[in-house]
Amino acid sequence: MRDRSTSAKTLLVLLSLACSLFGCQPTPEDGPKKTPQAGGDAGRPMPTLHYFTWSDYVDKALIEGFERQAGVKVAVDTFGSNEELLAKLQSGASGYDVVVPSDFMVSIMIGQGLLADLDLTKIPNAGLVMERLQRLPFDPNNRYSVPYLWGTVGIGYNSEVIAAPPDSWDILWDIRYKGKISMLNDQREVFGAALRAAGQSINAKDAAVIAQARAKLLDQKRLVKTYTSENYHQLLAFGDVTLAQGWGGAVARAMVERPAIKYVIPKEGGTIWADCLVVLKTAPNKGLAMQFINYLLDREVAAKTTERLLFASSNREAKALVPERIRGNPAVYPPDSAWDRLEWMTDVGDAVRFYDQAWTELKLQ
Amino acid sequence: MLAGWLLAPALCWMGVFFVLPLALVFVISFASRGTYGGVEWTFSLANYLNVVDPLYLKIFLRSLTLALATTVLCLVLGFPLAYYIARLPVRWQGVWLLLVMIPFWTNFLVRTYAWMFMLRAEGLLNTLAMGLGLIASPIEILYSPAAVLIGLVYGYLPFMVLPLYAAIERLAPSVVEAAWDLYAPAWAVFWRVIVPMTKPGIVAGCLLVFIPSLGAFITPDLLGGARTMMVGNLIQHEYLVVRDWPFGSAISFVLMGLVLAGVMAYVRAEGSRRELEVRR
């Protein structure tokens, strides 16, 4: 008798363990769970828009704004890198309507035939895109994409430790900051830093140049505390790292927590990027997708987005509505003086294999 | 006849959701990768040949070492705990088992983030140790293999404790008493009575800890700072970062093969040993 109760207990325990084992996958936690009250006849299922975006780009209030306005539900899923986005779409993840790839990934997705034509008549706000983000080489007529949020990649640093602003990428190879450096967990950007430091373009396609950058990065690895694209603003703010290669907006977030954090775009230059709104060819709800894109690009919504996410909006009228402390922050809006040394990342074609291999080697070491 | 029908739902389930995907992965492992990812259907063994590259062997070795260390630490920590629980009054056993399980009610990711806060330079552990004057300057634990080991041991300890508890609970105290009564020294009571009699639990616990920790990828990613890659991370990297599914599939199959071979070798050795004992 006693034996049986024991095995029943063990079984129960193992069962609950198994449940927790399979429940340990990361899940999109920011997805709206509330069903909005507005719109929709009773009995008719409410249309759902599926939005696949960067993990930093989710803001509940903004999404709920659209849900109320359009009387729909928005289901949000997130990704952490352009490569992850492409891999998930290629592996057959379907059902997404609006996706937010970066510039170079837009051209890859166009090449792969993944994108639907935008209906610009339904997106009047696309006409408000700032001058510098118009006619971008990868999609000059906004046939497939409209820039949404944009910014730069530079270095965030703790000015309590480093008094003089570092002006070169070389500081990320400075032995004095061993174990106090974080790099993005992003293949092209990490190579971009090494290539820039060596005076090369971030879009190098030559195997020998990429191999040199790889050697430089292998040499750097012992100084690097972590490769992360997600929580380095906390690492900066908490003092875990002194220097972080990062997206401007994330560094701006660290500044909120610790005002001593500063941001520079080194003299060798940095990346300028624009994350774009696109509609997938397989989108189940294209009409609603256009409506959603127009909503995100709206002047007021765009200004709120910049204020909350600390990434600059592409809407040229929005900047004036953003509070001065954010508008004047070089991590959010790069100063005019920096524009000359900013470079767009482009698709490197077949050379992507060299990058893939070198990145794997770097991560395996 | 009825028994056969009862089997059908489980068979269908396993066929559709386990065998079919696995077969697909197996087929892909012989294909090759297109420029932007995707799969090109040309048959080749190149992916399997690539796995033996020293670069990847190093990852396999590192994962094996970490998984073994995790298993040993879990066993060393888990055995006394399981023994203690199994010898409590039955009423209290439930309470203690519940305590072992409570962390599982929270998402694993959240718990891993909690560890990040504890291990960081200005985190709880360092602040505490410095406040007590134990260390002068913060120790950098986060983003090191040690942090990965801590995270793995923490995550898999219950998988060790529960089977051990079940085995020890079944061990009649009178057997241990008999050993004492017959003047067995402490080491002999442990090694020659307790261990052999709880061996099924030890083996089950070790397998339950070793296999999943070999394939772990969240812990090395978050606590190792994506610097200390394990096989799980390598597979994820191949699938989601460089989009080389054929190679990722090949690594998955090599990993599966290794684990299977290890377990089978053990079972066979155990089986023949038992046979020998019976014959004796």
Side-chain angles (χ1 to χ4, degrees):
Chain A
M1 199 51 218
R2 177 159 170 276
D3 224 335
R4 218 165 74 201
S5 81
T6 306
S7 42
K9 211 186 301 171
T10 316
L11 192 72
L12 195 85
V13 162
L14 285 176
L15 257 177
S16 70
L17 275 182
C19 294
S20 64
L21 232 196
F22 293 110
C24 76
Q25 309 300 332
T27 48
E29 283 150 45
D30 301 305
K33 296 189 174 75
K34 248 191 331 196
T35 312
Q37 299 298 314
D41 312 341
R44 253 228 326 253
M46 195 176 289
T48 302
L49 178 93
H50 293 269
Y51 182 38
F52 196 23
T53 191
W54 294 82
S55 40
D56 312 21
Y57 283 4
V58 184
D59 187 86
K60 232 177 163 179
L62 293 168
I63 303 271
E64 282 173 358
F66 182 71
E67 288 182 325
R68 266 195 306 277
Q69 194 187 77
V72 298
K73 250 184 80 154
V74 179
V76 184
D77 241 335
T78 63
F79 55 86
S81 77
N82 279 299
E83 287 77 14
E84 185 187 338
L85 162 66
L86 182 62
K88 287 193 172 161
L89 291 179
Q90 282 179 336
S91 68
S94 60
Y96 293 117
D97 296 298
V98 178
V99 179
V100 196
S102 305
D103 36 67
F104 78 100
M105 191 49 74
V106 173
S107 56
I108 292 177
M109 289 171 76
I110 293 173
Q112 298 276 297
L114 291 169
L115 303 185
D117 285 20
L118 292 182
D119 183 354
L120 289 175
T121 58
K122 288 200 183 127
I123 314 177
N125 286 330
L128 297 176
V129 168
M130 53 185 278
E131 182 64 29
R132 275 171 160 150
L133 296 179
Q134 285 175 13
R135 291 172 300 282
L136 295 175
F138 54 86
D139 185 20
N141 298 315
N142 298 116
R143 186 174 160 194
Y144 302 100
S145 65
V146 198
Y148 171 41
L149 298 174
W150 64 283
T152 56
V153 172
I155 300 174
Y157 67 99
N158 187 342
S159 65
E160 290 161 21
V161 182
I162 305 172
D167 67 341
S168 164
W169 286 107
D170 283 336
I171 194 153
L172 298 179
W173 275 262
D174 191 328
I175 188 86
R176 279 178 296 171
Y177 306 112
K178 184 176 180 186
K180 289 288 182 187
I181 296 172
S182 85
M183 297 291 283
L184 287 171
N185 197 7
D186 184 300
Q187 165 176 345
R188 290 292 306 276
E189 291 297 353
V190 168
F191 275 87
L195 288 165
R196 277 296 196 176
Q200 300 281 349
S201 159
I202 53 174
N203 299 311
K205 292 183 186 173
D206 185 46
V209 173
I210 298 169
Q212 268 169 19
R214 183 195 60 192
K216 205 169 158 57
L217 290 170
L218 282 172
D219 177 48
Q220 184 206 22
K221 190 170 179 183
R222 70 204 153 92
L223 309 182
V224 176
K225 188 180 187 80
T226 174
Y227 296 92
T228 175
S229 302
E230 264 140 38
N231 63 345
Y232 55 94
H233 56 95
Q234 289 169 0
L235 298 179
L236 268 175
F238 287 119
D240 286 312
V241 299
T242 306
L243 289 155
Q245 179 197 26
W247 287 300
V251 177
R253 227 171 270 179
M255 293 176 188
V256 175
E257 308 247 347
R258 192 173 193 142
I261 302 298
K262 298 244 161 66
Y263 181 76
V264 285
I265 298 165
K267 60 171 191 271
E268 299 95 342
T271 318
I272 174 169
W273 50 264
D275 290 338
C276 302
L277 296 163
V278 302
V279 177
L280 293 181
K281 218 169 229 172
T282 55
N285 219 333
K286 293 203 177 67
L288 195 56
M290 306 298 162
Q291 202 185 334
F292 183 59
I293 290 180
N294 196 51
Y295 165 83
L296 289 179
L297 294 173
D298 173 80
R299 206 164 68 106
E300 312 267 336
V301 175
K304 265 274 168 293
T305 308
T306 300
E307 192 182 333
R308 301 178 74 108
L309 302 180
L310 299 177
F311 284 105
S313 158
S314 65
N315 186 317
R316 61 170 175 265
E317 291 178 0
K319 189 172 175 180
L321 303 177
V322 172
E324 168 57 32
R325 71 193 144 81
I326 295 171
R327 219 186 320 149
N329 187 338
V332 183
Y333 287 95
D336 283 336
S337 60
W339 276 91
D340 296 340
R341 53 182 199 273
L342 294 176
E343 188 182 9
W344 287 93
M345 193 170 277
T346 56
D347 173 25
V348 289
D350 280 336
V352 75
R353 285 173 188 267
F354 300 136
Y355 284 99
D356 285 344
Q357 208 180 354
W359 179 240
T360 305
E361 264 177 65
L362 176 66
K363 295 303 285 294
L364 290 194
Q365 271 309 307
Chain B
M1 191 58 205
L2 177 68
W5 282 110
L6 289 175
L7 193 61
L11 271 186
C12 285
W13 182 273
M14 292 293 271
V16 174
F17 296 111
F18 182 69
V19 179
L20 213 62
L22 211 60
L24 196 65
V25 172
F26 187 66
V27 171
I28 289 178
S29 71
F30 294 103
S32 55
R33 166 194 194 266
T35 299
Y36 294 107
V39 177
E40 277 174 11
W41 297 106
T42 46
F43 177 86
S44 91
L45 290 172
N47 296 315
Y48 285 94
L49 295 176
N50 278 344
V51 176
V52 288
D53 187 300
L55 198 64
Y56 301 117
L57 285 185
K58 212 171 99 181
I59 299 295
F60 272 96
L61 212 64
R62 181 190 288 161
S63 306
L64 277 176
T65 318
L66 262 170
L68 268 177
T70 305
T71 312
V72 170
L73 267 172
C74 279
L75 186 58
V76 169
L77 291 172
F79 201 95
L81 176 61
Y83 199 91
Y84 175 77
I85 297 177
R87 289 293 170 258
L88 283 172
V90 178
R91 192 157 63 86
W92 284 103
Q93 289 182 10
V95 176
W96 275 81
L97 288 177
L98 198 70
L99 286 177
V100 171
M101 273 164 28
I102 278 179
F104 281 89
W105 299 353
T106 313
N107 186 295
F108 184 66
L109 212 58
V110 174
R111 288 182 283 138
T112 308
Y113 272 104
W115 270 105
M116 288 172 73
F117 277 95
M118 284 197 278
L119 296 178
R120 66 179 3 141
E122 292 176 15
L124 194 70
L125 274 184
N126 273 317
T127 316
L128 210 71
M130 277 164 74
L132 292 172
L134 294 176
I135 50 173
S137 58
I139 310 174
E140 303 280 344
I141 310 173
L142 190 59
Y143 303 134
S144 70
V148 179
L149 188 60
I150 291 174
L152 286 174
V153 170
Y154 161 77
Y156 293 116
L157 189 58
F159 292 85
M160 182 64 86
V161 172
L162 298 169
L164 280 179
Y165 158 80
I168 296 168
E169 218 261 350
R170 239 164 266 182
L171 169 71
S174 52
V175 177
V176 180
E177 279 160 23
W180 286 118
D181 287 348
L182 295 168
Y183 297 104
W187 67 266
V189 173
F190 184 69
W191 282 113
R192 299 180 60 180
V193 177
I194 296 178
V195 169
M197 294 201 70
T198 54
K199 199 160 177 193
I202 297 176
V203 172
C206 287
L207 288 179
L208 278 178
V209 172
F210 181 75
I211 295 173
S213 56
L214 190 61
F217 72 93
I218 293 178
T219 314
D221 205 45
L222 292 180
L223 296 180
R227 294 178 86 261
T228 313
M229 227 189 218
M230 289 178 70
V231 177
N233 304 93
L234 180 61
I235 295 171
Q236 190 205 23
H237 177 85
E238 291 299 332
Y239 269 95
L240 287 188
V241 182
V242 298
R243 303 179 305 285
D244 193 343
W245 303 339
F247 188 48
S249 308
I251 304 170
S252 309
F253 262 90
V254 171
L255 178 64
M256 244 183 287
L258 279 181
V259 171
L260 207 65
V263 173
M264 295 230 306
Y266 173 81
V267 169
R268 188 162 295 176
E270 192 64 3
S272 55
R273 206 179 54 82
R274 245 182 231 166
E275 238 170 66
L276 271 179
E277 271 171 17
V278 171
R279 275 196 210 137
R280 254 195 273 158

